[in-house]
Amino acid sequence: MSPQSGRTRGRRKKQADREQAGDNRVPYIQRKIGTFDILNEEGLCLIEENADKILRDIGMEFRDDPEILEIFKHAGADVKGELVRFEPGMCRQLIQASAPSVYTQHARNPANTVKIGQNNTVLSPVYGAPFVYDLDNGRRYATLEDFHNLVKLHQMLPSLHHSSGIVCEPVDVPVNKRHLDMLLGHILYSDRPFFGGLIGAERAEDSVAMVKILFGENFVTNNTVLYAVSNTNAPLVLDNAMSGSLKVYARNNQAVACTPWTLAGAMSPCTEAGTLAQLLAEAMAVCALTQLINPGTPCLMGSFATAISMQSGAPTFGNPEGGKMVLAAGQLARRLGVPFHTVGALTASKVPDAQAQQEATFGLTMALLAGANFINHACGWLEGGLCSGFEKSVIDADLCGKLIAFAEGIDLSENAQAMDAIFEVGPGEHFLSSQHTMANFQSAFYMSPIADNNSFEQWQAEGSLDLTMRANKRWKELLEAYEPPPIDAAIREELEEYVAKRKASMPDRNY
Amino acid sequence: MSPQSGRTRGRRKKQADREQAGDNRVPYIQRKIGTFDILNEEGLCLIEENADKILRDIGMEFRDDPEILEIFKHAGADVKGELVRFEPGMCRQLIQASAPSVYTQHARNPANTVKIGQNNTVLSPVYGAPFVYDLDNGRRYATLEDFHNLVKLHQMLPSLHHSSGIVCEPVDVPVNKRHLDMLLGHILYSDRPFFGGLIGAERAEDSVAMVKILFGENFVTNNTVLYAVSNTNAPLVLDNAMSGSLKVYARNNQAVACTPWTLAGAMSPCTEAGTLAQLLAEAMAVCALTQLINPGTPCLMGSFATAISMQSGAPTFGNPEGGKMVLAAGQLARRLGVPFHTVGALTASKVPDAQAQQEATFGLTMALLAGANFINHACGWLEGGLCSGFEKSVIDADLCGKLIAFAEGIDLSENAQAMDAIFEVGPGEHFLSSQHTMANFQSAFYMSPIADNNSFEQWQAEGSLDLTMRANKRWKELLEAYEPPPIDAAIREELEEYVAKRKASMPDRNY
């Protein structure tokens, strides 16, 4: 190797980081492995029957949204007050009559457009945290600058496929205006697909208006460019903050992941089978609603099911119960015939430590094995979702990279069988310099950008840094190498004008 | 709660820790979940055919052990020098004719006796490290005191099922005498099953002699009480250090896990399919040998397959390639009809940090999903196996506990369906105080002894300890609560005499 100045090395490294984030990246996972099915046919039928009983005999409440009650009444459901009851099979039939099993979410960079459904998996970063954490500054309320930095960081991580939505809450912006800055941030600083605002019709309308500026009105009318989650208030309630945005997205052919949010023991029974039946009932009722509003609009069956600590009532993550439930929920979604949305690298840990990775690794691996088509919180989540971590994003994204390689399955080509190599090398010799190894070594194995596989002595000589410290260096390198993806100046201007005008039209509000 | 003195609380806690380690523990996992099969029938046949070709056209070398060459020649294999070649199907037939698909390894406490094979999984701690690590003293050469402390710590961890063997190398004892102290340590400080010495006929003979004292000669003749691993020198070599002990164990009906040790890219091709074919070939040849020596003696197909870093040549762990290979190897072992041995919570990390848990969690989860019947290194392993960690053992054992709960599958009993609870609670209410929750909360969910699920504020008030720091407190508590399991005084005396006599009969040797 010829000597290089620090500056030249730095430039080359930045260039390499940018390239890694760019063209060579697979835009989403196309799984070549199967799913891990934890329930047999009998178990699945039992859960489905129980879900049907719940919908027939208890029903689901749709609060403060008379329009939805009319829609259900018109469709033949039994509506009493805000409670809606369904005959067994009714929701399933409504879903299967029109909901697509796979759909496309377009990105402004077509190379980043994703397919959601079937054997595809999209990995999307953390959503919804009011705090951020990094090693230098600890935990603090997030700002719009943190938000932009997280969007940029995620854009630089090649194992992510989506830009998510509220990667952290910019609490320095009034509550009622944040969604505008966040949408603009995703559009300007990432060229991957992203979320629309989830809470309330007004934010959903703003989301649709902004993507119409970005993609053109006609394109948005005919294509899905936004992703949204509609969370139930388990047990068996959907409130109008969620149904309001759901209606806007469904009417505009934008995707809604109908996702019961269940902490088993608090919001559902303290058993997996009970939680699954309730979860399926809620998801079916909400998915059916999307199809009643606009038959054929993309909807996903969602599952966010974990257990609480039975000592303290606190939510726990990466637990065995959550693993079992996500596997079963994936099976139930496939039988329903819609894509499956779930959650990934969750943890209750306050810092990106060993607990965080034990929980995140188990949870994300289970979500992949469940055949999830969209994995929310695939990186960055800390503290039960209250905090987004910079180091955590980088560490989880490495795990995402591993799972992408894992999902490739085992190559059985003649080259991969490597019989020539085994014959060439023979007993007791080594493969390091064999022809086959030389020909394949660059692409042979997943290479982690942050794991340390060196000797103890070398690791010590390099400062005895644990993974969190190395991840701290890494996210700074990535942000330094970041360059915003190009965007048409006129579109940018129009978006900025829209945001300015909308913000000027509202008083600041912090609720 | 009534106030307690610190001493009373401490006594109760120790008592609770001892009880947790005692009678209520399940002695091994009886999996109620399936396996995750990564290869289809066609893929499995391809690997099996390639393994047969390797055994027929290359063969395997058995070095410095003429007796083994005679055994193979007598059985009809093609022996030229030290190279042994097999007709396709020969090894498989030899194995399937007599090797048991499941067997019992007895512990001196019958409550800890394990079944190895079929749907059973035994979790066993770290094996073979010359160094130990704990937060207080860092990394250092291990001593016999460390060895005893690790045996005691593992005995106190309820999610482990085995005491392993060289949980660390007591380097303060001469190399040729260590096995005697280690065997005595397992016997005195644990009442779980354990390993015999692996390297050389002499250590195996000592192992058999000592268990004859412990269990009685007659019992040992008719039962399996020792576990041993026979590692090949991949590619395609077994040396006489391994074949020497293998012969002793096979002749005495003691179990041998025939385990190719393959770092793909160095000791096997840099592909999964190539590595699997070579691994299967080696494992079949060695398993067949055990059956030629003593038809019906327990043998396991073993797999220790991981990838090297293609930049540095260093081994890497918890990688996607290792995950894929262990899943496939489990399938191959089931088709062979023998129990499957593999490895668990491996990591290249030097410390019990986020890297360690990302790698360990992925690896151990994959081993369980592979249907492994015996998982070596299920806790405690650091630094690519060079180091045993006290905190790491406690952290990994928590993961073992999670996987034990996961392997229970989903309970579909009427109580677990919890329909009464869902009907009792109804829309928008909570389950915390429902009858069903009150009746089930104690056993509802896995409870981690070391995870922190509390609020940030409470975590901070308790000292902002990360998982490693909490694990440091935990292993000290467990060691403090430890009491040696009772053993017959005469047997203890006889064992100590045996060790003293054997040690006196040899000069100290450090190779």
Side-chain angles (χ1 to χ4, degrees):
Chain A
M1 276 204 330
S2 63
Q4 292 177 335
S5 73
R7 190 172 291 179
T8 309
R9 260 204 317 277
R11 220 168 27 233
R12 290 207 186 157
K13 176 131 183 46
K14 278 185 212 172
Q15 179 65 22
D17 285 339
R18 274 194 296 270
E19 276 167 16
Q20 210 192 354
D23 286 349
N24 295 324
R25 192 175 39 76
V26 181
Y28 51 92
I29 300 177
Q30 296 172 283
R31 290 193 312 275
K32 297 198 186 79
I33 56 172
T35 55
F36 184 63
D37 295 339
I38 196 159
L39 284 180
N40 61 17
E41 178 71 21
E42 198 187 332
L44 292 165
C45 289
L46 185 71
I47 302 293
E48 287 171 347
E49 279 163 28
N50 285 346
D52 271 347
K53 275 184 211 159
I54 291 167
L55 287 175
R56 183 188 63 195
D57 298 333
I58 306 176
M60 180 142 174
E61 273 184 25
F62 292 84
R63 291 190 180 161
D64 303 318
D65 195 333
E67 187 187 8
I68 281 181
L69 301 174
E70 276 308 308
I71 290 170
F72 278 128
K73 198 179 288 178
H74 184 75
D78 172 21
V79 180
K80 290 217 171 64
E82 295 187 318
L83 193 67
V84 184
R85 292 198 180 91
F86 304 88
E87 279 306 301
M90 176 181 167
C91 290
R92 182 174 294 268
Q93 276 163 25
L94 283 168
I95 295 161
Q96 293 183 337
S98 55
S101 61
V102 61
Y103 70 95
T104 299
Q105 184 184 1
H106 293 269
R108 74 172 174 89
N109 177 353
N112 290 333
T113 287
V114 296
K115 278 200 175 169
I116 297 177
Q118 294 172 342
N119 285 326
N120 308 310
T121 300
V122 169
L123 301 174
S124 183
V126 57
Y127 190 106
F131 297 97
V132 288
Y133 175 92
D134 69 71
L135 263 190
D136 305 299
N137 300 302
R139 177 201 192 244
R140 61 197 188 276
Y141 273 108
T143 63
L144 189 58
E145 190 187 347
D146 292 316
F147 178 90
H148 288 157
N149 281 334
L150 281 171
V151 170
K152 292 173 185 175
L153 176 61
H154 296 151
Q155 164 83 0
M156 289 297 287
L157 290 165
S159 52
L160 302 175
H161 310 123
H162 210 271
S163 195
S164 183
I166 308 175
V167 292
C168 64
E169 282 274 1
V171 300
D172 51 346
V173 180
V175 167
N176 60 329
K177 300 180 178 178
R178 280 178 202 166
H179 66 287
L180 297 160
D181 285 321
M182 289 193 278
L183 286 160
L184 189 63
H186 283 293
I187 293 170
L188 297 185
Y189 300 122
S190 166
D191 59 358
R192 290 178 178 161
F194 54 90
F195 275 59
L198 301 195
I199 301 190
E202 190 177 299
R203 289 173 203 173
E205 296 285 10
D206 279 328
S207 305
V208 172
M210 287 178 73
V211 291
K212 283 182 174 171
I213 298 170
L214 179 63
F215 288 93
E217 183 146 357
N218 199 34
F219 190 86
V220 172
T221 305
N222 296 304
N223 292 285
T224 300
V225 298
L226 287 171
Y227 193 90
V229 172
S230 196
N231 280 133
T232 63
N233 285 351
L236 298 166
V237 173
L238 191 75
D239 65 30
N240 73 345
M242 285 298 174
S243 63
S245 58
L246 178 146
K247 286 186 287 186
V248 173
Y249 290 126
R251 287 187 175 123
N252 283 280
N253 288 310
Q254 304 305 306
V256 179
C258 306
T259 309
W261 195 70
T262 40
L263 301 176
M267 292 139 80
S268 68
C270 64
T271 60
E272 294 128 11
T275 297
L276 285 165
Q278 181 187 305
L279 182 158
L280 179 60
E282 295 179 8
M284 285 202 298
V286 181
C287 281
L289 176 60
T290 66
Q291 299 307 305
L292 286 171
I293 292 168
N294 181 7
T297 191
C299 69
L300 299 91
M301 171 171 153
S303 158
F304 185 138
T306 189
I308 60 166
S309 159
M310 283 311 210
Q311 293 129 309
S312 66
T316 70
F317 301 97
N319 47 51
E321 297 80 20
K324 287 186 260 184
M325 289 191 284
V326 75
L327 294 170
Q331 292 181 270
L332 294 166
R334 282 190 289 286
R335 287 159 70 97
L336 201 54
V338 292
F340 178 49
H341 162 107
T342 195
V343 292
L346 312 189
T347 180
S349 184
K350 270 52 79 181
V351 285
D353 65 346
Q355 177 182 344
Q357 275 315 288
Q358 185 178 103
E359 294 176 349
T361 303
F362 186 73
L364 191 58
T365 302
M366 287 296 138
L368 182 82
L369 294 176
N373 302 111
F374 190 97
I375 303 183
N376 200 10
H377 317 301
C379 75
W381 157 302
L382 282 173
E383 203 191 322
L386 290 174
C387 190
S388 293
F390 282 78
E391 291 84 11
K392 181 73 164 30
S393 265
V394 168
I395 293 170
D396 290 339
D398 187 22
L399 176 62
C400 289
K402 287 180 193 175
L403 291 177
I404 290 169
F406 178 74
E408 282 291 307
I410 293 181
D411 180 0
L412 294 172
S413 66
E414 206 176 310
N415 180 60
Q417 290 177 56
M419 290 295 278
D420 286 356
I422 298 171
F423 276 77
E424 177 195 338
V425 170
E429 302 302 323
H430 71 77
F431 288 77
L432 288 168
S433 53
S434 78
Q435 272 196 312
H436 183 267
T437 304
M438 298 309 251
N440 289 279
F441 85 96
Q442 280 194 309
S443 61
F445 303 132
Y446 173 72
M447 285 190 272
S448 165
I450 48 171
D452 186 291
N453 301 306
N454 295 328
S455 69
F456 181 85
E457 290 71 21
Q458 189 172 342
W459 172 77
Q460 209 172 29
E462 289 172 3
S464 302
L465 304 182
D466 69 18
L467 180 61
T468 309
M469 298 174 195
R470 296 193 301 273
N472 178 268
K473 292 175 76 167
R474 182 71 184 152
W475 69 255
K476 292 174 188 166
E477 283 170 10
L478 289 170
L479 280 187
E480 213 189 319
Y482 171 85
E483 280 176 9
I487 189 166
D488 183 280
I491 288 177
R492 180 186 177 129
E493 204 174 313
E494 200 180 338
L495 285 163
E496 284 168 344
E497 269 169 28
Y498 180 89
V499 169
K501 213 171 107 185
R502 285 284 294 135
K503 285 172 100 170
S505 76
M506 297 183 267
D508 288 356
R509 200 157 46 73
N510 268 316
Y511 54 89
Chain B
M1 276 203 330
S2 63
Q4 292 178 336
S5 73
R7 191 172 290 179
T8 308
R9 258 204 317 278
R11 221 167 27 232
R12 290 207 186 158
K13 176 129 185 49
K14 279 185 212 174
Q15 179 65 21
D17 285 339
R18 274 194 296 271
E19 276 168 15
Q20 210 192 355
D23 287 349
N24 295 323
R25 192 175 39 76
V26 181
Y28 51 94
I29 301 177
Q30 296 172 282
R31 289 194 312 277
K32 297 196 186 82
I33 56 171
T35 54
F36 184 63
D37 295 339
I38 196 159
L39 285 179
N40 61 16
E41 177 72 20
E42 198 188 332
L44 292 165
C45 289
L46 184 71
I47 303 293
E48 288 171 347
E49 279 163 28
N50 286 346
D52 271 348
K53 274 184 213 162
I54 291 168
L55 287 175
R56 182 188 62 195
D57 298 334
I58 306 177
M60 180 143 173
E61 273 184 27
F62 293 84
R63 291 190 179 161
D64 305 317
D65 195 332
E67 186 186 9
I68 280 182
L69 301 174
E70 277 307 308
I71 291 170
F72 277 128
K73 199 179 288 178
H74 184 75
D78 173 20
V79 181
K80 291 218 170 62
E82 295 187 319
L83 193 67
V84 184
R85 292 197 181 91
F86 304 87
E87 279 305 301
M90 177 181 166
C91 291
R92 184 173 293 268
Q93 277 163 26
L94 283 168
I95 296 161
Q96 293 184 337
S98 55
S101 62
V102 62
Y103 70 95
T104 299
Q105 184 184 0
H106 293 269
R108 73 173 174 91
N109 177 353
N112 290 332
T113 288
V114 296
K115 279 200 176 168
I116 297 177
Q118 294 170 343
N119 285 326
N120 308 310
T121 300
V122 169
L123 301 174
S124 183
V126 58
Y127 190 105
F131 297 98
V132 288
Y133 175 92
D134 69 70
L135 262 190
D136 306 299
N137 300 302
R139 176 197 191 247
R140 60 197 188 275
Y141 273 109
T143 64
L144 189 58
E145 190 187 347
D146 292 315
F147 178 91
H148 288 157
N149 281 335
L150 281 171
V151 170
K152 293 172 185 175
L153 175 61
H154 296 152
Q155 165 83 0
M156 289 296 286
L157 289 165
S159 52
L160 302 175
H161 311 124
H162 209 271
S163 196
S164 184
I166 307 174
V167 292
C168 64
E169 283 274 0
V171 300
D172 52 346
V173 180
V175 167
N176 61 330
K177 299 180 178 178
R178 280 178 202 167
H179 65 288
L180 297 160
D181 284 321
M182 289 193 279
L183 286 160
L184 189 62
H186 283 293
I187 293 170
L188 296 185
Y189 299 122
S190 166
D191 60 357
R192 290 179 179 160
F194 54 90
F195 276 58
L198 302 194
I199 301 188
E202 190 177 298
R203 290 174 202 173
E205 297 285 9
D206 279 328
S207 305
V208 171
M210 288 178 73
V211 292
K212 283 182 174 170
I213 297 170
L214 179 63
F215 288 93
E217 183 146 357
N218 199 34
F219 190 87
V220 172
T221 306
N222 296 305
N223 293 285
T224 300
V225 298
L226 288 171
Y227 193 90
V229 172
S230 196
N231 280 133
T232 63
N233 285 351
L236 297 167
V237 173
L238 191 74
D239 66 30
N240 73 345
M242 286 297 173
S243 63
S245 58
L246 178 148
K247 286 186 286 187
V248 174
Y249 291 126
R251 285 186 176 124
N252 284 280
N253 288 312
Q254 304 304 308
V256 179
C258 306
T259 309
W261 195 70
T262 40
L263 302 176
M267 293 140 80
S268 68
C270 63
T271 61
E272 294 127 11
T275 298
L276 285 164
Q278 181 188 304
L279 183 158
L280 178 61
E282 295 179 10
M284 285 202 299
V286 181
C287 281
L289 176 60
T290 66
Q291 299 307 304
L292 286 171
I293 292 168
N294 182 7
T297 191
C299 69
L300 299 91
M301 170 170 154
S303 158
F304 185 139
T306 190
I308 60 166
S309 158
M310 282 311 209
Q311 292 130 308
S312 67
T316 70
F317 301 98
N319 47 52
E321 297 79 22
K324 288 186 259 184
M325 289 191 285
V326 75
L327 293 170
Q331 292 181 270
L332 294 165
R334 284 190 289 285
R335 286 159 70 97
L336 201 55
V338 291
F340 178 49
H341 162 107
T342 194
V343 292
L346 312 189
T347 181
S349 184
K350 270 52 80 179
V351 285
D353 65 347
Q355 178 182 344
Q357 275 316 287
Q358 186 178 102
E359 293 175 350
T361 303
F362 186 74
L364 190 59
T365 303
M366 287 297 137
L368 182 81
L369 294 176
N373 302 111
F374 190 97
I375 303 183
N376 200 11
H377 318 301
C379 74
W381 157 301
L382 282 173
E383 203 191 323
L386 290 175
C387 190
S388 293
F390 283 77
E391 291 84 11
K392 181 74 164 30
S393 266
V394 168
I395 294 170
D396 290 339
D398 186 23
L399 176 62
C400 290
K402 288 180 192 175
L403 291 177
I404 290 169
F406 178 75
E408 282 291 307
I410 293 181
D411 181 0
L412 294 172
S413 66
E414 206 175 310
N415 180 58
Q417 289 177 56
M419 290 295 277
D420 285 356
I422 297 171
F423 275 77
E424 177 195 339
V425 170
E429 302 301 322
H430 70 77
F431 288 77
L432 288 167
S433 53
S434 78
Q435 271 196 313
H436 183 267
T437 304
M438 298 310 250
N440 288 280
F441 85 95
Q442 281 194 310
S443 61
F445 302 131
Y446 174 72
M447 284 190 272
S448 165
I450 48 171
D452 187 291
N453 301 306
N454 294 328
S455 69
F456 181 84
E457 291 70 22
Q458 189 171 344
W459 173 78
Q460 208 172 28
E462 289 172 4
S464 302
L465 304 182
D466 69 18
L467 180 61
T468 309
M469 298 174 193
R470 296 193 302 273
N472 177 269
K473 292 174 78 168
R474 182 71 184 152
W475 69 255
K476 291 173 189 167
E477 283 170 10
L478 289 170
L479 281 187
E480 213 188 320
Y482 171 85
E483 281 176 9
I487 189 166
D488 182 279
I491 288 177
R492 179 185 179 128
E493 203 174 313
E494 200 179 339
L495 284 164
E496 285 168 343
E497 271 170 27
Y498 179 89
V499 168
K501 213 171 107 188
R502 285 284 294 135
K503 284 173 101 170
S505 76
M506 297 183 267
D508 288 356
R509 200 158 46 74
N510 266 317
Y511 54 90

